[in-house]
């Protein structure tokens, strides 16, 4: 066994690993005996094929596999023992010559590695990064209040249909009668919904049930029938309105505040105004924090001025994706990929230097926040902690999501500590201008 390193340039190197039978022989023998146990060859009972025949049939491929495996492991060991900060993975070199695994016993394998540059950032208070303070607008306040009113809205009985009310009706034809049938006008096509406009409780109208309930499952449920029974059902029905309900949003007053805040934390309209601003500010602060992390990462990447082994990394990305992307496609997004690699190196460097660790509890908390946001997007605010906890754990069961959330926590911790070394400039900004900052990201 012999290992020689040849520098291609400052950021990549060739590792020549020479192995002989003393290095891989035992592994070859073990693999061949394993073949012997499993071989199913005519004329021999299972497991009784002579090892000589096994060696003749499989020896060449086994020697190739085990010698390469041995050389690869020796290369990894060499990198570790020599504290080489490799980037990407070890790759077989394009300079590799063809080897004769049938007649030779000594083989030289060539591997190429990328080498991460040293990171030497000098951060001082002369460096400054903006932290945006998004200004609250009256439109934001009105939007929040509208959502607040909807949360406490209720269905109230009314006499006349205007547009999107919830209707309860009796459906009847010569074959069947269904009472307490629910018709959600908001879900109907506009031309069908318009036919209900101006109708009152007690009014009747002819309808096509397939237009009101487009799916078989809906019709079967409303009519209390089996799907297969719908086949011979005539779609013409008489619909008699028995109840009309409209979603009514309450006025924001002290009576509503007493209902909404039973603990008395918001008692007056003045208190509510302050509460609204505090809630909006909390959400805007999350957006500002996200932008600050993006900007601070970009600041560190530019300040580090790291060169990376571009040619090596392009081939590495191509190889690990097994041809899913062409070199032209990789080239297109390569600058962003290099910045991602630069940030990974910076983060790993300072996580080690500053002894930053991420705990399972921190990752779980991040997963719960991610889950809470997912629920909120579907209008499910105020989900219980037990449900959040269960869903968060299911998210963490996905290895990619687990790694993403772990890295997100580590990003925040590294940035939080490093930002203390520079001047953070609080900068007011309008929501419109803040949105423009993301147009190129």
């Amino acid at each position: 066994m012999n290992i020689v390193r040849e520098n291609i340039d400052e950021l990549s190197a060739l590792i020549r690993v020479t192995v002989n039978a003393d290095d891989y022989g035992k592994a070859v023998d073990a693999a061949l005996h394993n073949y012997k146990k499993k071989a199913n060859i005519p004329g021999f009972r299972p497991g009784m094929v002579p090892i000589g025949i096994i060696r003749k049939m499989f020896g060449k491929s086994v020697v190739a596999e085990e010698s390469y495996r041995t050389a690869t492991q020796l290369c990894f060991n060499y990198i570790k023992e020599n504290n080489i900060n490799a980037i990407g993975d070890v790759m077989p070199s394009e300079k590799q010559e063809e080897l004769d695994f049938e007649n030779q016993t000594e083989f030289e394998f060539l591997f190429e590695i990328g080498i991460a540059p040293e990171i030497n950032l000098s951060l001082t208070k002369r460096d400054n990064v903006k932290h945006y303070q998004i200004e609250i607008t009256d439109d934001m306040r009105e939007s929040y209040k509208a959502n607040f009113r909807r949360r406490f809205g209720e269905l109230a009985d009314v006499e006349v249909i205007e547009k999107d009310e919830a209707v309860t009706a009796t459906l009847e034809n010569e074959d069947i009668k269904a009472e307490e049938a629910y018709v959600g006008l908001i879900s109907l096509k506009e031309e069908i919904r318009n036919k209900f406009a101006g109708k009152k409780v007690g009014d009747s109208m002819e309808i096509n049930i397939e237009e009101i309930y487009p799916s078989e499952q809906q019709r079967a449920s409303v009519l209390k029938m089996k799907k297969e029974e719908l086949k011979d059902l005539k779609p013409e029905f008489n619909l008699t309105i028995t109840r009309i309900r409209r979603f009514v949003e309450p006025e924001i007053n002290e009576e509503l505040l007493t209902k909404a805040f039973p603990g008395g934390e918001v008692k007056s309209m003045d208190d509510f105004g302050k509460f609204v601003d505090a809630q909006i500010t909390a959400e805007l602060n999350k957006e500002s924090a996200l932008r600050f992390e993006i900007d601070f990462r970009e600041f560190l990447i530019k300040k580090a001025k790291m060169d990376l082994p571009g040619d090596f990394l392009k081939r590495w990305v191509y190889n690990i994706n097994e041809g899913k992307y062409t070199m032209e496609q990789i080239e297109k997004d390569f600058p962003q990929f290099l910045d991602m690699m630069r940030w990974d190196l910076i983060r790993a460097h300072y996580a080690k230097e500053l002894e930053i660790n991420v705990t399972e509890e921190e990752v779980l908390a991040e997963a719960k926040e991610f889950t809470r946001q997912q629920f909120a997007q579907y209008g499910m605010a105020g989900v219980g902690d037990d449900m959040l906890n269960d869903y968060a754990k299911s998210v963490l069961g996905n290895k990619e999501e687990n790694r993403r959330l772990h890295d997100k926590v580590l990003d925040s911790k590294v940035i939080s500590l490093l930002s203390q070394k520079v001047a953070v400039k609080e900068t007011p900004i309008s929501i419109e201008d803040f949105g423009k900052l993301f147009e190129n990201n």
Side-chain angles (χ1 to χ4, degrees), residues 34-46:
N34 193 42
Y35 273 94
K36 173 180 167 67
K37 293 177 184 177
K38 298 177 180 179
N40 187 7
I41 298 175
F44 297 95
R45 285 181 295 164

Side-chain angles (χ1 to χ4, degrees), residues 165-231:
E165 287 79 4
V167 173
T168 304
T170 298
L171 300 173
E172 188 173 11
N173 68 9
E174 59 188 34
D175 299 319
I176 191 170
K177 180 178 181 179
E179 298 179 335
E180 297 295 314
Y182 174 78
V183 182
L185 297 184
I186 195 171
S187 64
L188 301 182
K189 293 181 179 179
E190 187 174 0
E191 61 267 25
I192 305 301
R193 189 165 64 240
N194 289 340
K195 295 178 181 180
F196 285 82
K199 299 294 184 183
K200 301 177 182 179
V201 173
D203 286 352
S204 296
M205 57 189 293
E206 297 300 317
I207 59 104
N208 183 320
I209 197 169
E210 293 177 358
E211 293 178 341
I212 305 300
Y213 305 105
S215 77
E216 285 188 343
Q217 185 173 349
Q218 286 177 311
R219 297 196 293 277
S221 176
V222 167
L223 299 175
K224 296 180 174 57
M225 299 174 66
K226 296 179 180 179
K227 282 186 181 181
E228 52 269 25
E229 295 174 336
L230 297 173
K231 183 179 180 182

Side-chain angles (χ1 to χ4, degrees), residues 125 292 296 413-424:
K125 293 298 180 179
F292 180 75
F296 199 79
K413 296 182 81 168
V414 169
I415 289 171
S416 176
L417 285 175
L418 292 184
S419 63
Q420 296 174 25
K421 300 177 180 291
V422 305
V424 176

Side-chain angles (χ1 to χ4, degrees), residues 28-41 44-55 58:
V28 169
D29 290 342
L32 290 173
H33 278 88
N34 193 42
Y35 273 94
K36 173 180 167 67
K37 293 177 184 177
K38 298 177 180 179
N40 187 7
I41 298 175
F44 297 95
R45 285 181 295 164
M48 299 302 292
V49 182
I51 192 66
I53 294 177
I54 296 294
R55 190 177 295 276
F58 304 107

Side-chain angles (χ1 to χ4, degrees), residues 32-201:
L32 290 173
H33 278 88
N34 193 42
Y35 273 94
K36 173 180 167 67
K37 293 177 184 177
K38 298 177 180 179
N40 187 7
I41 298 175
F44 297 95
R45 285 181 295 164
M48 299 302 292
V49 182
I51 192 66
I53 294 177
I54 296 294
R55 190 177 295 276
K56 187 173 183 179
M57 294 178 66
F58 304 107
K60 179 180 178 180
S61 62
V62 171
V63 168
E65 182 178 349
E66 296 301 333
S67 61
Y68 177 76
R69 193 197 308 274
T70 300
T72 302
Q73 188 58 55
L74 288 169
C75 184
F76 282 126
N77 293 344
Y78 175 84
I79 292 169
K80 184 177 180 180
E81 291 165 3
N82 288 273
N83 296 315
I84 300 173
N85 189 9
I87 186 172
D89 288 325
V90 171
M91 280 200 308
S93 173
E94 295 177 331
K95 298 178 181 180
Q96 177 69 56
E97 296 180 355
E98 188 173 346
L99 300 172
D100 183 357
F101 294 105
E102 191 164 11
N103 299 305
Q104 293 179 236
T105 58
E106 184 174 274
F107 310 103
E108 182 185 61
F109 293 96
L110 275 60
F111 300 99
E112 193 173 334
I113 61 170
I115 302 170
E118 291 187 9
I119 296 171
N120 185 21
L121 278 170
S122 177
L123 301 176
T124 72
K125 293 298 180 179
R126 289 191 297 274
D127 299 306
N128 61 77
V129 181
K130 292 180 179 179
H131 182 277
Y132 293 103
Q133 295 176 325
I134 307 171
E135 298 165 342
I136 299 177
T137 66
D138 288 339
D139 285 344
M140 293 179 191
R141 293 185 177 98
E142 291 307 312
S143 177
Y144 186 92
K145 290 175 183 177
N147 288 329
F148 185 83
R149 290 176 63 197
R150 279 193 288 272
R151 282 171 50 197
F152 293 95
E154 297 177 343
L155 288 172
D157 286 295
V158 295
E159 289 297 318
V160 182
I161 294 174
E162 292 183 359
K163 187 177 181 183
D164 297 331
E165 287 79 4
V167 173
T168 304
T170 298
L171 300 173
E172 188 173 11
N173 68 9
E174 59 188 34
D175 299 319
I176 191 170
K177 180 178 181 179
E179 298 179 335
E180 297 295 314
Y182 174 78
V183 182
L185 297 184
I186 195 171
S187 64
L188 301 182
K189 293 181 179 179
E190 187 174 0
E191 61 267 25
I192 305 301
R193 189 165 64 240
N194 289 340
K195 295 178 181 180
F196 285 82
K199 299 294 184 183
K200 301 177 182 179
V201 173

Side-chain angles (χ1 to χ4, degrees), residues 317-333:
V317 171
Y318 181 81
N319 289 338
I320 62 173
N321 284 287
E322 298 178 339
K324 291 179 183 177
Y325 304 105
T326 64
M327 288 301 288
E328 289 76 16
Q329 289 172 315
I330 293 170
E331 190 79 44
K332 179 182 176 183
D333 297 322

Side-chain angles (χ1 to χ4, degrees), residues 144 147 150-151 279 283 286-287 367-384 387-388 391:
Y144 186 92
N147 288 329
R150 279 193 288 272
R151 282 171 50 197
Q279 296 299 306
E283 290 303 313
K286 292 178 183 177
E287 297 298 317
K368 288 173 70 173
E369 179 58 27
F370 169 75
T371 304
R372 183 182 288 106
Q373 292 174 6
Q374 293 292 102
F375 278 124
Q377 288 181 3
Y378 293 98
M380 299 173 63
V383 176
M387 181 179 289
L388 278 177
Y391 273 89

